């Protein structure tokens, strides 16, 4: 199942205290125009649609829904093409796989390819210990979000999207279990 997205935006906006600026025409803008329309194919519940269009804040959404702590369990986080001099040749690509866990349940399984084309950002990851998943926040960047595809299968529902800013691009596949919003998981939630 492919996407059928209809996003409104991209219009110039004049605010009294700021110069005229162009707002990017992409889903996920925190500073979007006054109107936003996101239409997904039929067959997804309202809560599923919220996750499918989240712009890099799935952990916060799941934490709020379950009123509980969300943990990221890293399965692997490796160079895509290791070898001599791999970190000196830009761009540098990392492969990453994680499980997002809440209330002892895997709520999301994510695989990512992270491409870094800025040597200073590579150094942050390899020498300064900044986690790949925290780069945007560490650098105080608001990445652009583009939903590439989404669907449903026998395991649940999924999406493939890109988060990018200058020097960093992340292509991410997230898979959510079909029973993610099962009422029994909310037992005992205050």
């Amino acid at each position: 199942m492919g996407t059928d997205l209809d996003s409104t935006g991209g219009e110039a906006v004049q605010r009294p205290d700021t110069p005229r600026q162009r707002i990017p025409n992409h889903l996920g803008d925190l500073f979007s125009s006054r109107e936003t329309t996101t239409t997904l194919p039929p067959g997804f519940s309202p809560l599923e649609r919220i996750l499918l269009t989240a712009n890099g804040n799935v952990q916060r959404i799941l934490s709020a829904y379950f009123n509980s702590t969300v943990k990221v369990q890293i399965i692997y986080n490796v160079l895509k093409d290791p070898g001599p001099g791999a970190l000196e040749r830009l761009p540098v690509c990392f492969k990453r796989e994680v499980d997002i866990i809440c209330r002892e349940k895997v709520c999301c399984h994510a695989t990512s390819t992270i491409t870094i084309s800025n040597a200073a950002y590579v150094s942050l990851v390899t020498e300064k210990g900044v986690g790949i998943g925290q780069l945007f926040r560490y650098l105080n960047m608001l990445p652009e979000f583009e939903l590439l595809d989404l669907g449903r299968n026998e395991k649940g529902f999924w999406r493939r999207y890109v988060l990018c800013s200058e020097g960093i691009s992340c292509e991410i596949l997230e898979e959510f279990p079909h029973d993610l919003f099962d009422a029994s998981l909310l037992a005992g939630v205050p």
Side-chain angles (χ1 to χ4, degrees):
M1 173 185 284
T3 57
D4 179 19
L5 302 177
D6 176 14
S7 294
T8 305
E11 66 187 53
V13 183
Q14 179 68 44
R15 291 191 175 84
D17 56 342
T18 60
R20 190 169 182 85
Q21 58 183 329
R22 185 114 178 121
I23 295 178
N25 185 16
H26 60 80
L27 179 66
D29 273 335
L30 293 179
F31 306 104
S32 64
S33 61
R34 289 180 222 147
E35 267 186 44
T36 299
T37 302
T38 302
T39 305
L40 298 181
F44 295 102
S45 74
L47 288 171
E48 290 172 339
R49 290 192 303 265
I50 289 170
L51 280 182
L52 289 168
T53 59
N55 61 348
N57 55 357
V58 165
Q59 289 172 249
R60 183 182 53 77
I61 291 169
L62 290 171
S63 179
Y65 177 78
F66 288 108
N67 201 26
S68 187
T69 301
V70 171
K71 296 178 183 173
V72 177
Q73 180 179 6
I74 299 172
I75 298 166
Y76 65 79
N77 189 20
V78 297
L79 275 172
K80 183 177 178 183
D81 298 313
L87 294 174
E88 287 80 39
R89 291 188 308 271
L90 295 177
V92 174
C93 292
F94 294 89
K95 298 291 280 181
R96 178 177 165 95
E97 184 173 344
V98 302
D99 282 335
I100 298 175
I101 300 169
C102 188
R103 299 177 64 91
E104 300 180 25
K105 175 183 176 64
V106 174
C107 295
C108 176
H109 179 80
T111 54
S112 311
T113 300
I114 297 94
T115 304
I116 304 175
S117 59
N118 179 310
Y121 300 167
V122 172
S123 174
L124 287 174
V125 172
T126 60
E127 297 172 24
K128 306 284 191 226
V130 175
I132 290 175
Q134 287 71 47
L135 266 176
F136 292 115
R137 179 174 297 276
Y138 184 88
L139 294 166
N140 199 27
M141 292 179 165
L142 180 63
E144 291 187 23
F145 170 88
E146 181 181 1
L147 183 59
L148 302 174
D149 203 4
L150 56 89
R152 187 178 291 288
N153 58 30
E154 65 281 348
K155 295 179 185 177
F157 59 104
W158 58 270
R159 70 178 181 159
R160 191 170 56 86
Y161 64 98
V162 173
L163 290 175
C164 64
S165 275
E166 189 172 331
I168 307 170
S169 177
C170 304
E171 184 167 328
I172 303 165
L173 171 66
E174 290 177 337
E175 300 168 286
F176 304 94
H178 63 83
D179 63 346
L180 178 59
F181 297 116
D182 188 291
S184 66
L185 294 174
L186 291 174
V189 173

